[in-house]
Amino acid sequence: YAMYLKKIFAENQLDVAVLGCYLNLANPNPASLAKNTHRYLAHIRFASLLGAGVVGTETGAVNEEYRFEERNHSEEALKIFINNLCPVVSYAEKMGVIVAIEPVYKHIVCNPKRARKVLDAIGSPNLQIIFDPVNLLDICNYKDRDAIIAEAIDVLGEDIAMVHIKDFKMENNSLVSVAAGTGEMNYDRIIRFMKERKPYIHATLENTVPENAVASREYIQRLWEECHVG
């Protein structure tokens, strides 16, 4: 099946940049964790066959429901995640695939410094970062978004393998993800980072629909063209 898909992609000049596997690697249920780990290894094999360079994942929660609780932000949770991620990254090394973790405020790797701890603890070139700036925000910190973005670029910049581009709005006292250019994010710093230091990086436009996808792409393209580096 993988080889059939690879043939279809090649014939239609399609490119597979990232293959998502968003399962909980901190699941406290041993049977569920084993099943999730097995699926990560399968996704890595699949990515290798398809020519997808990155298997992307978020970073889990210390409960079976994959929901936010304060313990997600504990050192204990971080150790659990690192321990369970190690065999996945080891297998990715053997298959020539990059595993990229996506920090998310409500998950275990909730900020750039915790992401840096994961990278340093595992110490593999096959472990990198998906940078989704909106996912680092929550109701408690969104007003500090410029400082958070600057910290992420400073702490994680060299290990960022992909950027997820979207925006956010405040609705009913919570953040709601929307298409880029339709909310409160300022992408100038991120675009400058990409153009200066990662000019060939893959990026995805998220939270788009047919009615706004073109406008969102044109918004980001305009920022790119207006950003002068060198």
Side-chain angles (χ1 to χ4, degrees), residues 80-224:
I80 290 169
F81 176 72
I82 291 171
N83 183 64
N84 294 344
L85 181 63
C86 277
V88 175
V89 175
S90 178
Y91 190 72
E93 291 175 341
K94 296 173 183 176
M95 299 300 293
V97 172
I98 290 169
V99 172
I101 59 172
E102 183 177 343
V104 178
Y105 178 81
K106 292 183 177 180
H107 298 168
I108 291 171
V109 180
C110 55
N111 60 47
K113 290 180 180 178
R114 279 170 78 90
R116 184 76 259 164
K117 286 184 178 181
V118 176
L119 295 176
D120 291 346
I122 295 179
S124 170
N126 289 69
L127 177 62
Q128 296 186 24
I129 296 290
I130 294 175
F131 179 34
D132 185 326
V134 172
N135 280 359
L136 289 170
L137 307 179
D138 196 57
I139 188 65
C140 66
N141 70 358
Y142 76 98
K143 292 182 180 179
D144 299 321
R145 55 190 176 276
D146 290 341
I148 291 169
I149 289 168
E151 180 185 54
I153 291 171
D154 180 56
V155 173
L156 302 172
E158 292 305 313
D159 295 293
I160 292 175
M162 180 168 232
V163 179
H164 285 178
I165 296 176
K166 63 189 179 196
D167 212 322
F168 76 90
K169 290 182 178 179
M170 292 296 300
E171 293 184 7
N172 300 319
N173 204 35
S174 63
L175 273 65
V176 177
S177 297
V178 295
T182 63
E184 300 184 30
M185 283 288 292
N186 181 344
Y187 264 91
D188 290 346
R189 185 189 295 269
I190 297 167
I191 295 298
R192 178 166 294 278
F193 158 73
M194 293 168 67
K195 197 165 187 177
E196 278 186 335
R197 295 170 57 185
K198 303 273 184 168
Y200 302 106
I201 195 170
H202 283 284
T204 60
L205 286 174
E206 299 201 325
N207 294 90
T208 58
V209 294
E211 291 75 19
N212 63 24
V214 172
S216 182
R217 189 263 302 166
E218 289 176 344
Y219 165 72
I220 293 297
Q221 185 173 350
R222 176 176 57 80
L223 293 180
W224 182 276

Side-chain angles (χ1 to χ4, degrees), residues 21-112:
C21 187
Y22 289 81
L23 302 173
N24 189 2
L25 279 173
N27 194 311
N29 182 319
S32 297
L33 176 61
K35 183 177 179 180
N36 288 349
T37 301
H38 177 77
R39 290 186 66 182
Y40 273 97
L41 304 188
H43 272 69
I44 289 168
R45 288 194 300 274
F46 204 41
S48 180
L49 289 168
L50 285 174
V54 176
V55 172
T57 184
E58 291 173 352
T59 60
V62 290
N63 49 67
E64 291 196 66
E65 299 80 14
Y66 208 145
R67 57 174 170 77
F68 175 70
E69 61 175 276
E70 291 295 336
R71 200 158 60 93
N72 288 352
H73 292 179
S74 68
E75 288 301 310
E76 175 196 13
L78 190 62
K79 289 177 182 178
I80 290 169
F81 176 72
I82 291 171
N83 183 64
N84 294 344
L85 181 63
C86 277
V88 175
V89 175
S90 178
Y91 190 72
E93 291 175 341
K94 296 173 183 176
M95 299 300 293
V97 172
I98 290 169
V99 172
I101 59 172
E102 183 177 343
V104 178
Y105 178 81
K106 292 183 177 180
H107 298 168
I108 291 171
V109 180
C110 55
N111 60 47

